[in-house]
Amino acid sequence: MSTNNLHSSNLPGRHRLGRVWLVVFQVALVVGVVALCALLFNILNGSFGYVAVQDKVNPATLAVDGVPLEELDKDTLIQVLQANISAGLMARYEFDKPFAERDAGEVYDLILERVVAPEFVAQWSLYESLTNAGEVRATAAQEYPEARLEFRSWLNWHFLRAPQSSYPEIAGVRTAVLGSLWTISIAVLFAFPVGVAAAVYLQEYAPDNLINRIIQTNITNLAGVPSIIYGILGLAIFVRALGAFTSGIAFGVTDPATANGRTILSAGLTLGMLVLPLIIINAQEAIKAVPSSLRQASYGLGATRWETVWHHVLPNAMAGIMTGTILAISRAIGETAPLIVIGASTFIQVDPEGPFSKFTTLPIQIYQWTARPQSVFRNLAGGASLVLLGLLLTMNATAIILRNRYRRSQ
Amino acid sequence: MSDTAQATASLNGAAILSKDLSIYYGDFQAVRDVNLDIQTNRITAIIGPSGCGKSTVLRAFNRMNELIPSVNTKGEVLFRGENIYAPDVDPVEVRRRIGMVFQKPNPFPKSVYENVAWGARINGHKGNLDELVHSSLKAAALWDEVKDKLDQSGLSLSGGQQQRLCIARTIAVRPDIILMDEPCSALDPIATLRIEELMRDLAKEFTIIIVTHNMQQAARVSDRTAFFSLSEDGKRAGMLMEYGDTKTMFTRPEKKITEDYITGRFG
């Protein structure tokens, strides 16, 4: 190719520079992928693996008149339990929930927990279990001759179904999952309508003046405020100032355990406050993206502002608003700090029954398990992390399906 | 509104007229002292070079400029004997009576049927909506092409069909006047021709004002032509230079500047 002397022949250099940047971009991608893989490996590594289990009492010895334990009726089961635990403990169980109200399964679970009392004497990570199974077996046989070795998935049906317990063998995440679902539902019920309404006002009604610009700037900044600050806010407003409402006293709920306002309602509203700016900003962006030609067409037909917003702006922005809400919820469901501040219970065994119940949530449960000294709880935390991830993915998938259906029906 | 006879008398047979209409974008005067009387059931073309305020004047006739916060309008626009800028006049009512078709076809992302029915419905149409949709689409010369796909999205139509759908939507609310802001600029020549034919039909029932960049189009389609240009005092405000019958304007324009523009010497 002929060259003219107006330009220096720098093309190879320019291509070289392009290649260098390409490598930089690829390295950045690799770093991201490696970080993600490490995270997944870490969680999976703790969630599966060999455990050595040792029963305090062999369940076979608990059979009554030749009937194995799992086939006994409720009354016999209560007798078995009574024969094997102290009267004081029996009285405590009666106080927690009268035996008359418990079914046979619950009593059976109590016997497993207190009498059979299987104990995890040792556990191995997934990596060890897969790569070094022979040595794991040898160690187990040598050090825990009484125990049986099982490959255990810490994420299992019982784990999802069972309430929290201080015995890792029977502990589950049910209370935490229900708590998370309750708080997030209340947060969305509060933040979604308020956020969308505020965004509509700011985008479609508010005149461009100093006050509205200040409000806008503040909302944008609020989205970046650390979540612990929202926790303090929630503590001051919902727990303290509005305690009569959030504890349900104003509505005739009289539970001494929640009379201090540290309830699901307080938690949900605090998380709602936390995601409100995110929802407003995302909704504003979605509303901004609706072409102005649609608004003009609507006004040109003699529509009022309200009709234009309701029939054209909102339906066309809804897919984007929902995407923004999904992102906001994803952030809220993993929040721990503000809930600790407003007083999430770290250990409760009863399911939340409504907005005025005490609560714990999955991230708090995970935090509480990892803070325990016994290493076995870290496996439980791994399982709970999988549950949290699964919950998150399910919610996101549901929302995306909803959004796509909305988009198609347009 | 005052009674029709009196209204017509005060307007001298004009469907709508502007008196000393000036329009400002912030401090900038975009249009200066326009006095324009639009004849009933005629097609009036507004032509002129880019940036001379043609569209701004057009949008002043149904108060669409108010959707832009910085716009300020001075002077009067008389419609049925009443100044549409009077404080007690509702712009929503003005826009129902003075409809608008835009530069780019902008059907709603709804079905063809909904596109036509929506405006009538919100304005409290009392008759049969199916009939209205049928007659409006027929009047817009679109019925035969879409009668089997009334439930399909308006966006699935071709550009020319979309623009005729927008016209059908506009006439479905029974306006007196239809404003058209370069309605063919995004269309191919065949689609343009169809719209032009349609305009001639519509003029029997409606008063039409069309802004166009295309002088042949103005000559082909309009009865009267208004020529706008920038003021020559260096302030670049749009002014009405000449206004009259299209035939006269294109054959014997009074002003030199009009002749220069029409013969393609500037613009």
Side-chain angles (χ1 to χ4, degrees):
Chain A
M1 229 178 282
S2 69
T3 54
N4 62 46
N5 49 14
L6 276 176
H7 304 284
S8 58
S9 53
N10 59 358
L11 196 54
R14 285 154 62 199
H15 279 309
R16 205 157 42 240
L17 187 66
R19 277 195 298 274
V20 168
W21 279 107
L22 177 62
V23 169
V24 170
F25 298 147
Q26 283 168 335
V27 167
L29 179 68
V30 168
V31 169
V33 170
V34 165
L36 201 62
C37 290
L39 173 80
L40 278 178
F41 173 78
N42 194 27
I43 293 174
L44 292 176
N45 203 26
S47 307
F48 303 93
Y50 280 116
V51 284
V53 190
Q54 196 167 340
D55 295 336
K56 206 157 79 187
V57 175
N58 187 345
T61 64
L62 291 173
V64 176
D65 304 332
V67 183
L69 187 65
E70 53 266 41
E71 285 169 26
L72 291 172
D73 61 29
K74 183 180 156 190
D75 291 334
T76 328
L77 282 169
I78 294 176
Q79 283 164 17
V80 170
L81 184 65
Q82 211 156 14
N84 284 287
I85 64 174
S86 69
L89 190 57
M90 201 65 191
R92 209 189 88 196
Y93 285 135
E94 177 71 24
F95 176 77
D96 282 352
K97 189 176 178 186
F99 277 97
E101 289 174 20
R102 299 178 190 242
D103 60 26
E106 287 175 74
V107 182
Y108 178 75
D109 285 344
L110 275 182
I111 293 177
L112 275 192
E113 178 185 337
R114 280 295 170 172
V115 184
V116 177
E119 196 188 343
F120 297 142
V121 285
Q123 59 281 331
W124 290 268
S125 71
L126 179 63
Y127 182 74
E128 283 173 307
S129 305
L130 290 181
T131 57
N132 220 349
E135 198 173 304
V136 167
R137 270 192 213 99
T139 319
Q142 194 187 343
E143 292 185 19
Y144 312 102
E146 304 276 299
R148 58 181 190 278
L149 192 69
E150 333 180 310
F151 188 86
R152 183 180 171 86
S153 159
W154 293 88
L155 173 67
N156 54 44
W157 186 234
H158 176 265
F159 183 69
L160 292 175
R161 227 162 34 98
Q164 159 76 306
S165 164
S166 48
Y167 298 97
E169 294 79 11
I170 57 164
V173 289
R174 173 203 178 111
T175 335
V177 168
L178 288 174
S180 275
L181 291 177
W182 266 105
T183 46
I184 218 67
S185 308
I186 288 175
V188 171
L189 283 179
F190 164 66
F192 184 76
V194 174
V196 173
V200 166
Y201 176 77
L202 284 172
Q203 216 52 44
E204 297 289 322
Y205 289 85
D208 185 26
N209 58 27
L210 187 66
I211 294 174
N212 285 320
R213 275 204 295 272
I214 290 173
I215 291 175
Q216 181 72 65
T217 314
N218 276 297
I219 289 173
T220 315
N221 285 331
L222 277 180
V225 167
S227 56
I228 189 98
I229 310 286
Y230 281 98
I232 293 167
L233 182 75
L235 181 68
I237 296 180
F238 299 125
V239 177
R240 298 268 158 77
L242 299 175
F245 295 98
T246 52
S247 62
I249 290 170
F251 309 103
V253 179
T254 48
D255 182 352
T258 60
N260 52 16
R262 297 170 188 272
T263 57
I264 281 184
L265 185 60
S266 297
L269 292 175
T270 306
L271 287 186
M273 298 271 282
L274 175 73
V275 297
L276 190 58
L278 290 175
I279 291 185
I280 294 178
I281 292 169
N282 284 315
Q284 276 188 286
E285 289 302 322
I287 289 171
K288 242 184 249 175
V290 175
S292 68
S293 65
L294 273 187
R295 293 184 183 85
Q296 301 219 355
S298 173
Y299 287 125
L301 286 173
T304 61
R305 197 193 290 258
W306 158 248
E307 286 159 345
T308 305
V309 168
W310 185 249
H311 291 276
H312 301 297
V313 176
L314 275 184
N316 283 289
M318 202 38 91
I321 293 175
M322 282 168 108
T323 315
T325 308
I326 297 163
L327 291 174
I329 293 172
S330 305
R331 178 176 170 196
I333 204 169
E335 277 299 343
T336 325
L339 298 185
I340 291 179
V341 173
I342 66 162
S345 314
T346 45
F347 190 87
I348 43 171
Q349 288 174 296
V350 285
D351 292 347
E353 282 165 346
F356 306 122
S357 299
K358 292 189 294 180
F359 70 100
T360 190
T361 64
L362 264 176
I364 286 176
Q365 182 78 83
I366 293 168
Y367 165 72
Q368 192 250 340
W369 273 334
T370 52
R372 291 221 176 180
Q374 302 98 314
S375 67
V376 60
F377 282 103
R378 282 197 270 293
N379 296 95
L380 288 176
S385 303
L386 279 184
V387 175
L388 181 58
L389 283 179
L391 195 63
L392 208 69
L393 289 178
T394 315
M395 288 179 63
N396 282 5
T398 316
I400 288 169
I401 291 167
L402 275 177
R403 189 187 72 193
N404 288 350
R405 187 166 296 166
Y406 205 98
R407 201 173 269 168
R408 215 171 306 135
S409 71
Q410 273 287 301
Chain B
M1 298 261 167
S2 48
D3 72 77
T4 323
Q6 190 193 343
T8 317
S10 71
L11 287 173
N12 269 336
I16 191 166
L17 64 83
S18 69
K19 273 188 183 165
D20 298 330
L21 180 69
S22 292
I23 303 164
Y24 299 81
Y25 290 96
D27 294 335
F28 171 67
Q29 187 177 29
V31 172
R32 184 190 296 167
D33 296 337
V34 171
N35 291 292
L36 190 61
D37 59 310
I38 304 294
Q39 300 302 303
T40 309
N41 288 28
R42 293 281 180 278
I43 300 177
T44 305
I46 299 180
I47 61 170
S50 296
C52 70
K54 305 185 293 289
S55 290
T56 306
V57 169
L58 189 77
R59 296 161 64 90
F61 283 137
N62 69 345
R63 295 184 64 170
M64 285 296 272
N65 282 329
E66 281 164 44
L67 301 177
I68 306 162
S70 65
V71 168
N72 194 2
T73 309
K74 298 228 165 75
E76 292 186 347
V77 174
L78 295 178
F79 171 64
R80 297 186 161 206
E82 213 174 15
N83 178 16
I84 63 170
Y85 284 93
D88 60 333
V89 173
D90 185 347
V92 172
E93 179 63 13
V94 169
R95 293 182 200 127
R96 212 271 303 155
R97 289 168 179 275
I98 306 174
M100 187 147 199
V101 176
F102 298 85
Q103 193 166 355
K104 260 176 72 185
N106 56 353
F108 299 123
K110 298 174 185 279
S111 69
V112 170
Y113 183 96
E114 254 327 281
N115 260 285
V116 181
W118 187 78
R121 194 183 297 130
I122 58 156
N123 281 298
H125 179 73
K126 288 201 196 79
N128 184 329
L129 270 183
D130 291 356
E131 269 169 30
L132 179 76
V133 170
H134 177 232
S135 65
S136 304
L137 285 170
K138 249 198 143 93
L142 189 60
W143 174 255
D144 291 334
E145 290 159 67
V146 300
K147 64 182 174 205
D148 298 324
K149 34 185 175 180
L150 291 179
D151 54 350
Q152 284 183 22
S153 168
L155 295 172
S156 67
L157 304 178
S158 74
Q161 288 174 328
Q162 287 188 12
Q163 194 62 300
R164 276 179 281 145
L165 180 62
C166 293
I167 292 173
R169 168 177 82 183
T170 305
I171 58 189
V173 300
R174 314 305 304 166
D176 295 339
I177 301 172
I178 302 175
L179 309 177
M180 296 187 172
D181 191 356
E182 298 185 46
C184 305
S185 64
L187 305 181
D188 65 63
I190 293 168
T192 301
L193 206 63
R194 296 210 59 172
I195 302 265
E196 288 178 7
E197 285 167 3
L198 175 60
M199 286 171 65
R200 294 262 36 129
D201 285 342
L202 292 175
K204 290 169 194 146
E205 241 185 294
F206 304 96
T207 303
I208 298 176
I209 311 176
I210 174 175
V211 163
T212 177
H213 257 118
N214 180 332
M215 264 168 304
Q216 284 79 23
Q217 183 170 55
R220 276 196 304 266
V221 82
S222 70
D223 303 302
R224 293 172 68 78
T225 300
F227 171 64
F228 278 72
S229 190
L230 294 173
S231 64
E232 280 151 349
D233 56 7
K235 289 187 179 152
R236 303 186 64 79
M239 296 177 74
L240 177 61
M241 291 298 175
E242 193 170 345
Y243 179 45
D245 280 342
T246 300
K247 238 179 225 151
T248 324
M249 287 277 286
F250 277 87
T251 48
R252 300 184 304 279
E254 279 174 19
K255 291 190 179 167
K256 175 85 167 52
I257 186 170
T258 314
E259 192 184 343
D260 286 351
Y261 181 74
I262 286 169
T263 51
R265 254 170 255 163
F266 87 102

